[in-house]
Amino acid sequence: MTDLTQIQVRERIEQRLASRHRKEKLFRGLGIASIAFGVLAVLVLFTDIISKGNGAFVQTAVKLEVTYDPAVLGIDEVDEESLTWANFTGVVREALRERFPDVSGRSEKRELYSLVSTGAPFTLRDRLHANPELLGKTETIWFAADDDVDTFVKSLDDSAEGFRGRTSDQMAAWVQSLKDSGELKKRFNTTFFTNGDSREPEQAGIRAALVGSLLTLLVTLALSFPIGVAAAIYLEEYAPKNRWTDLIEVNINNLAAVPSIVFGLLGLAIFINFFELPRSAPLVGGLVLTLMTLPTIIISSRAALKSVPPSIREAAMGMGASRMQVVLHHVLPLAMPGMLTGAIIGMAQALGETAPLLMIGMVAFIVDVPSGITDPATVLPVQIFLWADSPERAFVERTSAAIMVLLSFLIVMNASAVLLRKKLERRW
Amino acid sequence: MQTPTLFALLLLLVLIAYGTGFSRAAAAARGRGGMRKLAALPSYYGTHTALWCGLPALLLLAVWLVFDEPIIRALIMNGVADMPETIAGRDLLYAQIQNQAAGNLFGEATPQVAAAAERLTHLRSGAQILQTALVLILSVGLGAFAMLRFSPQLRAREKVEKVFRIILLGCASAAILTTVGILLSVLFESLRFFQSVPVTEFLFGLQWSPQMALRADQVGSSGAFGAVPLFTGTLMVSAIAMFVAVPVGLMSAIYLAEYAGKRVRAVAKPVLEVLAGVPTVVYGFFAALTVAPFVREAAAAVGLQASSESALAAGLVMGVMIIPFVSSLSDDVINAVPQSLRDGALGLGSTQSETIRKVVIPAALPGIVGGVLLAVSRAIGETMIVVMAAGLAANLTANPLESVTTVTVQIVTLLVGDQEFDSPKTLAAFALGLMLFLSTLVLNFIALHVVKKYREQYD
């Protein structure tokens, strides 16, 4: 009797055991699937951006024979004044007409002229400005192609038809003939790194945005690092346990989780409307980002201070050092690597931030490279946002390329933070 | 003197003050036979003098820089005979006066503007001279005062340390100032908004179309400020995001904490954290150009109509963004569960997944809930993804394939670009900001409280 029940029990347990083990496997599988999903998301994101963006680093160029004909230019000699109003557009058009002599009719000519970038006359002006002796002579120049042509030429690699867009059959035929005769090439797109923003994709570059980001980050670092470290020192080394300190603690933790756009509203209402600081300036951007990154820097600096063992403080105090001397001479130097790591991570966060800067007017269309912290400027993430909104297809690859630049900066910053931590971290 | 020059001069004075204080103390020490006859090291005497010389003057300069423009403006505008009625009109008039004074006004200025501009030039140069004089007198005077009070018995170190301590406290209080600043800036503008639009209409109205009529006789843009469609839109996008982020984040945290070997952990954790480091504008671009078309095609494949700016696309990408946030917070709390609980459960014969589901997760639940609440607050406040991938039209809908708009999207669209600052349209953005700030504040507060309570439980 008892034997029978024991066997029954055993059978039951074994049956249940199988299903329990199945559940175990399922649970484990779910965990692996989750991780795989995360890793897959990273891979898809990066391959998507890179595949879209790597086209922007090459640019289609068209070879043309240009003659600096004084009659077309309408000038007799080369000086500052004549260069400003000389008709370089005419020279470019002349060169295009010479290359394709059988083009007639207004609309056809207009299509012909739109083969090269509208920036071509400026290229010529710069050439002539640098070499005045070229006047009246002929030379061969590679001009940047118009963005539609550029997109078309690049898409020819993927399919025989290519992406037409605004490129007409006529233009496609011209491009084909240029390509066959070797008067069309792809070259490294230096414009992308040397120019500011432009409405024309082939002339648009990230230099102005990069300089703007740099200036904004400098302001942020100069303000947030000292203030953050000072606040951390106060809270870790001095603060008595009272209401005010508790309030500060609650505020720091809360500010770390306040949406970034709210900081933008603060910047707009206080720095721009109340203090009347200039709009779109790296100064204001830096101030807003300082407020935003302060909690990060304070929290990481406190962690760094906490990791310095109390025995160091006690030893210094035992030698008669004052509280300030203990902190400045002993604790701070030991905590510095950790604080620097935190600062770098905070700066990386600030570099990628967009929303608060939209609020303070850094979305303006700015072509010039800013030369100071009160000049109008834009930053790299905002430039990405602006380009992402542009209808031209060529801006898609430029946006992705700008993202690649931004991401590589972030990777370098985060990697250096990790290296710094590994190299300088001390275990007690 | 221009402010930067004045600043440089002040710096020079401070250096001189430090040098004088230092050498004076060193000389006194030599005269008395050794450093120990002084109450502090010479460097502290130097710093003491430098602080007297520099700090008050610097504070004065800062206060001056903040308040001189508004005061000059008030003085000028008081003298203007026929003052425009509106704020915008007054701003315009003052801008004209400023341009006239700077000499960039094209065309003929009215006599009133010309006279005011002349007074402005006078006032400005006068203010500049006064500023320079006051700052320099204060700096040199107090520096000299400190030198006069010098004696070897002066406890310079204590005094210097006290000042530094106050500076440290000031820096720590910056966090409180920021919160107060946020509250004040959104509160004041919101109150102005609620004067023209009743609070109840804003909170419970079902229509949102913030276009205001520019002229009285204009048709069709009376402006409706019912924010319910924005709230539902925000909630929908956040809910979709949490639907992705919570299971994936939690399960990866569990796997990493309980199952994964050292090597898997060393690789998978940083890879997941890469997702947290990607700027939101990049996610926005990805959502708008890759995920949204994909969602539309996928919906079309099963015979559904999806908007090209669907809530689903924005929510999915936002969820991916939040995964590392959920997983690292959960990882922390799961690791904080004492090993003895696991050992007990395993010892009773439960499988590992049963231990996790029946023991570890319930024990870590408060911390996980706190982490999820923080993630929700993050999803609500996320801006760039929804600005780029969700729509502008305020649809009151429960269909995730339709386009919805969110609070943050509306704040951005209302405030980007040049707008009048006193129209309900721009002020509405601040009212939305207030809502956003308050709701995230409550969420953060609860979450931080829960997490703190939980930590205390096992400490």
Side-chain angles (χ1 to χ4, degrees):
Chain A
M1 184 73 190
T2 44
D3 283 353
L4 201 68
T5 45
Q6 256 184 5
I7 290 166
Q8 276 178 340
V9 167
R10 207 188 159 82
E11 265 179 1
R12 273 195 165 168
I13 286 178
E14 266 164 11
Q15 270 170 3
R16 279 214 6 104
L17 206 57
S19 98
R20 282 170 70 197
H21 282 164
R22 260 203 311 282
K23 274 190 187 159
E24 168 77 32
K25 267 198 187 129
L26 186 72
F27 192 74
R28 217 183 148 115
L30 276 178
I32 293 175
S34 300
I35 298 216
F37 180 81
V39 174
L40 190 72
V42 175
L43 287 180
V44 169
L45 186 66
F46 276 69
T47 43
D48 183 53
I49 299 287
I50 292 172
S51 68
K52 278 197 182 118
N54 60 13
F57 295 108
V58 290
Q59 189 176 42
T60 311
V62 178
K63 185 162 105 176
L64 283 180
E65 293 268 322
V66 290
T67 312
Y68 298 94
D69 187 352
V72 179
L73 285 169
I75 56 173
D76 306 324
E77 50 176 354
V78 177
D79 55 39
E80 290 294 330
E81 201 204 325
S82 64
L83 277 178
T84 56
W85 51 267
N87 183 13
F88 288 107
T89 317
V91 172
V92 176
R93 290 184 173 177
E94 186 68 42
L96 280 165
R97 278 200 301 272
E98 258 168 43
R99 174 63 184 81
F100 298 100
D102 48 343
V103 174
S104 60
R106 282 179 63 132
S107 60
E108 257 195 33
K109 274 187 184 165
R110 200 161 51 230
E111 282 189 347
L112 179 65
Y113 299 153
S114 68
L115 279 181
V116 295
S117 161
T118 50
F122 301 106
T123 320
L124 285 185
R125 194 184 64 195
D126 293 343
R127 284 285 301 160
L128 197 57
H129 186 249
N131 316 292
E133 73 280 0
L134 278 173
L135 188 66
K137 300 207 176 99
T138 303
E139 69 169 338
T140 315
I141 293 188
W142 287 95
F143 289 106
D146 185 67
D147 61 300
D148 288 328
V149 175
D150 186 44
T151 312
F152 173 61
V153 171
K154 281 174 188 162
S155 66
L156 282 177
D157 297 342
D158 304 331
S159 64
E161 259 305 285
F163 171 81
R164 279 297 178 81
R166 289 188 291 184
T167 315
S168 66
D169 292 345
Q170 177 74 72
M171 284 167 86
W174 288 330
V175 167
Q176 203 56 52
S177 95
L178 284 170
K179 204 175 174 188
D180 294 341
S181 61
E183 288 164 282
L184 201 72
K185 71 166 179 186
K186 286 185 208 156
R187 62 179 184 194
F188 182 69
N189 186 358
T190 46
T191 320
F192 185 68
F193 296 97
T194 55
N195 269 27
D197 195 8
S198 170
R199 294 274 186 246
E200 301 296 330
E202 76 276 5
Q203 294 170 43
I206 54 169
R207 173 136 169 250
L210 266 183
V211 174
S213 271
L214 186 73
L215 289 172
T216 311
L217 274 195
L218 277 182
V219 175
T220 312
L221 184 66
L223 288 172
S224 64
F225 189 59
I227 296 180
V229 169
I233 290 178
Y234 183 80
L235 292 173
E236 275 308 311
E237 306 287 330
Y238 282 97
K241 196 89 185 118
N242 61 21
R243 283 248 174 104
W244 188 252
T245 343
D246 282 347
L247 192 65
I248 293 176
E249 298 250 0
V250 170
N251 264 297
I252 289 174
N253 287 333
N254 180 53
L255 280 180
V258 164
S260 60
I261 192 169
V262 174
F263 287 97
L265 288 176
L266 164 91
L268 178 60
I270 293 195
F271 296 132
I272 290 185
N273 285 341
F274 187 71
F275 287 141
E276 305 199 337
L277 292 174
R279 258 173 182 270
S280 326
L283 174 66
V284 183
L287 281 170
V288 170
L289 292 180
T290 298
L291 296 181
M292 213 195 75
T293 45
L294 255 184
T296 317
I297 293 186
I298 294 177
I299 291 170
S300 63
S301 300
R302 289 184 70 173
L305 285 172
K306 251 184 214 155
S307 71
V308 176
S311 57
I312 303 265
R313 295 183 185 83
E314 282 153 16
M317 257 180 226
M319 297 300 289
S322 72
R323 191 106 225 178
M324 180 75 54
Q325 285 166 333
V326 171
V327 172
L328 290 185
H329 298 173
H330 302 280
V331 179
L332 200 56
L334 291 173
M336 219 11 128
M339 290 177 166
L340 284 177
T341 318
I344 295 175
I345 290 170
M347 288 303 110
Q349 218 179 57
L351 176 62
E353 200 51 64
T354 322
L357 302 178
L358 298 182
M359 299 284 95
I360 56 159
M362 286 188 109
V363 277
F365 174 70
I366 286 150
V367 179
D368 295 327
V369 177
S371 57
I373 56 168
T374 51
D375 284 357
T378 190
V379 294
L380 205 45
V382 177
Q383 186 72 74
I384 291 167
F385 170 65
L386 284 173
W387 281 354
D389 251 8
S390 302
E392 285 91 350
R393 202 182 148 98
F395 267 127
V396 172
E397 61 179 28
R398 276 171 180 73
T399 314
S400 308
I403 288 176
M404 284 158 73
V405 173
L406 178 65
L407 285 178
S408 37
F409 271 105
L410 290 177
I411 289 170
V412 167
M413 284 168 89
N414 283 311
S416 60
V418 170
L419 278 183
L420 193 70
R421 184 181 299 164
K422 277 225 171 105
K423 191 142 191 143
L424 298 176
E425 193 180 50
R426 291 174 73 161
R427 297 225 172 261
W428 304 94
Chain B
M1 206 178 291
Q2 293 289 314
T3 312
T5 337
L6 185 59
F7 199 78
L9 193 64
L10 201 58
L11 203 69
L12 189 70
L13 280 176
V14 167
L15 284 180
I16 292 173
Y18 180 85
T20 337
F22 187 94
S23 53
R24 183 104 189 249
R30 248 178 279 120
R32 266 154 239 263
M35 216 64 101
R36 67 188 60 185
K37 300 288 179 201
L38 289 179
L41 290 171
S43 61
Y44 285 103
Y45 285 100
T47 317
H48 181 240
T49 330
L51 282 175
W52 271 103
C53 172
L55 208 55
L58 210 60
L59 283 178
L60 177 76
L61 190 60
V63 172
W64 191 289
L65 286 179
V66 168
F67 288 104
D68 70 337
E69 271 300 313
I71 290 177
I72 288 180
R73 178 177 169 153
L75 285 176
I76 291 290
M77 293 309 263
N78 268 341
V80 174
D82 44 324
M83 179 73 74
E85 300 267 309
T86 58
I87 296 175
R90 269 176 250 159
D91 282 346
L92 185 66
L93 179 64
Y94 190 64
Q96 275 178 349
I97 296 173
Q98 274 182 318
N99 280 334
Q100 170 74 16
N104 335 320
L105 193 65
F106 295 107
E108 202 61 33
T110 60
Q112 174 179 311
V113 171
E118 196 155 316
R119 277 194 300 129
L120 182 67
T121 322
H122 272 292
L123 259 178
R124 278 207 176 136
S125 60
Q128 193 101 57
I129 293 169
L130 193 65
Q131 177 199 34
T132 311
L134 277 181
V135 167
L136 289 185
I137 288 172
L138 198 65
S139 164
V140 173
L142 288 178
F145 171 73
M147 283 313 299
L148 280 181
R149 279 190 37 188
F150 172 83
S151 79
Q153 282 81 43
L154 182 74
R155 296 186 162 273
R157 185 176 55 80
E158 271 93 332
K159 288 184 192 298
V160 168
E161 291 188 351
K162 206 170 167 186
V163 173
F164 268 118
R165 202 180 152 150
I166 292 172
I167 294 176
L168 290 183
L169 174 63
C171 288
S173 305
I176 296 185
L177 265 181
T178 312
T179 310
V180 173
I182 291 176
L183 256 184
L184 285 185
S185 54
V186 291
L187 205 61
F188 270 119
E189 310 288 356
S190 305
L191 287 180
R192 277 170 69 194
F193 172 71
F194 290 134
Q195 277 166 6
S196 53
V197 178
V199 184
T200 46
E201 192 197 317
F202 175 72
L203 285 182
F204 303 111
L206 301 181
Q207 274 292 324
W208 177 267
S209 70
Q211 289 309 320
M212 291 298 287
L214 292 172
R215 300 186 313 272
D217 57 341
Q218 209 169 338
V219 185
S221 14
S222 53
F225 293 96
V228 170
L230 309 190
F231 297 150
T232 53
T234 309
L235 286 181
M236 192 204 283
V237 176
S238 309
I240 297 171
M242 298 320 287
F243 202 73
V244 175
V246 172
V248 175
L250 193 56
M251 281 312 292
S252 7
I254 290 172
Y255 187 80
L256 286 179
E258 302 284 332
Y259 287 105
K262 241 188 184 157
R263 276 168 56 193
V264 175
R265 218 179 135 91
V267 175
K269 224 178 147 152
V271 171
L272 281 185
E273 269 160 18
V274 165
L275 285 176
V278 173
T280 52
V281 69
V282 177
Y283 281 115
F285 180 73
F286 181 65
L289 261 87
T290 307
V291 180
F294 175 76
V295 166
R296 199 177 52 218
E297 274 161 32
V302 292
L304 287 171
Q305 269 278 321
S307 153
S308 57
E309 296 181 318
S310 58
L312 189 60
L316 283 177
V317 174
M318 197 191 279
V320 170
M321 183 196 86
I322 296 177
I323 289 173
F325 195 70
V326 175
S327 83
S328 72
L329 279 172
S330 317
D331 198 35
D332 283 351
V333 289
I334 290 172
N335 279 328
V337 173
Q339 186 62 30
S340 56
L341 290 185
R342 291 186 189 88
D343 293 346
L346 290 172
L348 287 172
S350 38
T351 63
Q352 202 167 359
S353 70
E354 282 163 351
T355 312
I356 294 166
R357 272 182 293 140
K358 305 245 163 79
V359 178
V360 178
I361 296 296
L365 199 59
I368 292 173
V369 170
V372 169
L373 284 183
L374 279 179
V376 171
S377 124
R378 212 175 162 139
I380 291 177
E382 171 47 45
T383 310
M384 291 322 291
I385 294 178
V386 279
V387 166
M388 294 167 87
L392 286 176
N395 293 328
L396 190 56
T397 172
N399 179 359
L401 294 176
E402 266 188 64
S403 144
V404 295
T405 192
T406 71
V407 173
T408 46
V409 171
Q410 289 302 319
I411 294 178
V412 170
T413 39
L414 292 177
L415 283 181
V416 168
D418 287 326
Q419 260 126 10
E420 264 188 277
F421 218 76
D422 45 355
S423 81
K425 190 179 158 187
T426 39
L427 292 179
F430 284 91
L432 290 174
L434 180 68
M435 289 288 121
L436 186 64
F437 181 65
L438 288 182
S439 51
T440 51
L441 187 74
V442 170
L443 275 174
N444 297 342
F445 195 75
I446 298 173
L448 292 173
H449 191 73
V450 168
V451 171
K452 200 174 157 198
K453 265 269 140 64
Y454 162 77
R455 283 225 182 98
E456 279 161 9
Q457 206 180 331
Y458 290 115
D459 263 349

